[in-house]
Amino acid sequence: MEQHSGHALVHRDDEASKIGMWLFIFTELLLFGGLFVVYAVYRHLNPVAFHLAAEELDVTVGTINTVILLVSSMTIAMATSSIKLGNKRLTLLLLSITMILAIIFMVNKYFEWGGKISHGIYPNSQTLLDLSQGDVLFFGLYYAMTGLHALHIIVGLVIIAVMFFKVWNGSINNDYNVQLENSGLYWHLVDLIWIFLFPLFYLIT
Amino acid sequence: MSQDEHKHVVSYKTYTIILINLLILTAISVAVTEIELGPLTVFMAVFLASVKSALVLIYFMHLKFDNAMYKIMVGLVLVVFVIVMVITFLDYNFR
């Protein structure tokens, strides 16, 4: 991989850029961590309302979205391996699959939120305000946390699209691929957050 | 896998096995909620989610294959989070 022998000294520190990415991931973990603390406290204070409100959520949709994110996490992880092995076509294919899965996740989210909103359950709606304080808190947290997570999916989609383009034009290749690796780390973070959101909102009733 | 390369390339097979494990754990966590476990329900859900996230961190996020420094950093962040959680609940329970 040493075509440009010696003369151009390009400063490049893959390890440092990965540490930078991890530091960013830590801020994200603590951001969502803070929200999980809020959820835990309000659940502790309103156990009955949280129990009843959680039964409103569709476990099937939640499970499908979990499977989608887990598979997409694997495809982007495989993409970081295939680029290191120099398989550009496979990398592009795996990144495309990851993007398609992310879009399917968002489509599911759209219908899920749409269903809730058409039933009059959305922040500050009259239906919701007529319910108990615990219901208001549950759905407030539901919209805030899954909404923030969905925002991360959209950002991830843009990042993966940029990576796709860079792999395609060769600026990410089997020698230089830390950007793809960092994008993978970001996508796994999004997956990681969902791993906790799913049981806390959909499963525990 | 080429041993001559310095960077560790994780095999597709490893990733596939991890995914299968994650899917099995998801199925278990969905199935477990059908059973009445009482106060253990929350514990089970969080426990299974923790196992799943450990798999993601260790294999998908390469903590197993990377420099030990990353493991220490992730560990410290988790400790900070647990401390925040414990202090918050101490406050709410003994207020």
Side-chain angles (χ1 to χ4, degrees):
Chain A
M1 274 297 109
E2 295 293 318
Q3 292 116 332
H4 41 270
S5 46
H7 64 276
L9 187 68
V10 181
H11 178 74
R12 178 181 142 191
D13 191 342
D14 289 354
E15 206 65 26
S17 55
K18 248 168 93 174
I19 295 172
M21 191 64 206
W22 272 105
L23 289 178
F24 170 68
I25 286 173
F26 294 153
T27 68
E28 290 276 62
L29 285 178
L30 293 176
L31 165 69
F32 277 94
L35 288 167
F36 281 121
V37 175
V38 174
Y39 173 91
V41 167
Y42 281 140
R43 181 167 197 112
H44 179 69
L45 297 178
N46 306 281
V48 179
F50 268 55
H51 170 81
L52 293 174
E55 288 189 337
E56 294 287 309
L57 297 184
D58 191 341
V59 178
T60 315
V61 178
T63 311
I64 291 170
N65 270 352
T66 307
V67 172
I68 288 170
L69 274 195
L70 290 175
V71 174
S72 76
S73 233
M74 183 197 68
T75 54
I76 201 161
M78 282 180 167
T80 59
S81 283
S82 69
I83 193 75
K84 284 175 190 166
L85 297 170
N87 195 339
K88 184 175 164 178
R89 278 179 70 103
L90 183 60
T91 310
L92 290 174
L93 176 69
L94 287 165
L95 289 177
S96 316
I97 297 171
T98 312
M99 284 190 282
I100 292 166
L101 290 170
I103 292 166
I104 299 173
F105 180 95
M106 286 309 292
V107 170
N108 280 343
K109 195 98 269 180
Y110 169 79
F111 284 113
E112 196 194 352
W113 274 32
K116 287 274 160 304
I117 290 166
S118 68
H119 282 92
I121 296 173
Y122 53 89
N124 220 24
S125 74
Q126 200 51 51
T127 322
L128 192 54
L129 292 178
D130 291 340
L131 296 170
S132 73
Q133 179 69 14
D135 288 276
V136 176
L137 287 169
F138 180 86
F139 283 107
L141 282 167
Y142 164 74
Y143 277 108
M145 291 174 80
T146 61
L148 193 58
H149 178 263
L151 192 64
H152 281 77
I153 297 267
I154 295 169
V155 172
L157 203 49
V158 174
I159 292 171
I160 297 168
V162 173
M163 291 305 123
F164 181 90
F165 179 73
K166 286 192 164 194
V167 171
W168 178 71
N169 76 10
S171 55
I172 290 177
N173 47 52
N174 65 342
D175 175 48
Y176 177 69
N177 49 50
V178 71
Q179 288 183 346
L180 179 60
E181 215 173 308
N182 284 346
S183 310
L185 284 177
Y186 175 83
W187 195 250
H188 298 313
L189 163 80
V190 173
D191 188 22
L192 212 57
I193 294 163
W194 185 258
I195 286 176
F196 282 96
L197 284 179
F198 170 60
L200 289 182
F201 280 100
Y202 295 82
L203 290 183
I204 308 172
T205 57
Chain B
M1 291 298 97
S2 50
Q3 264 99 39
D4 51 296
E5 241 179 323
H6 179 64
K7 279 185 211 160
H8 186 97
V9 179
V10 186
S11 69
Y12 302 128
K13 195 180 151 201
T14 308
Y15 285 137
T16 313
I17 292 169
I18 296 303
L19 176 70
I20 292 168
N21 279 304
L22 287 169
L23 293 176
I24 292 170
L25 285 166
T26 306
I28 293 172
S29 57
V30 174
V32 149
T33 47
E34 304 291 316
I35 312 162
E36 278 301 326
L37 288 170
L40 275 176
T41 317
V42 178
F43 172 79
M44 261 321 266
V46 174
F47 172 74
L48 287 168
S50 306
V51 175
K52 281 164 77 182
S53 53
L55 284 176
V56 171
L57 281 165
I58 293 168
Y59 290 95
F60 284 178
M61 295 174 95
H62 296 162
L63 281 183
K64 187 181 179 200
F65 316 104
D66 274 337
N67 199 318
M69 172 187 62
Y70 294 105
K71 290 176 200 137
I72 297 165
M73 294 200 310
V74 172
L76 286 175
V77 169
L78 295 180
V79 168
V80 167
F81 179 68
V82 170
I83 290 171
V84 170
M85 200 76 169
V86 169
I87 290 175
T88 310
F89 272 91
L90 285 178
D91 181 31
Y92 269 93
N93 281 322
F94 297 106
R95 201 176 268 241

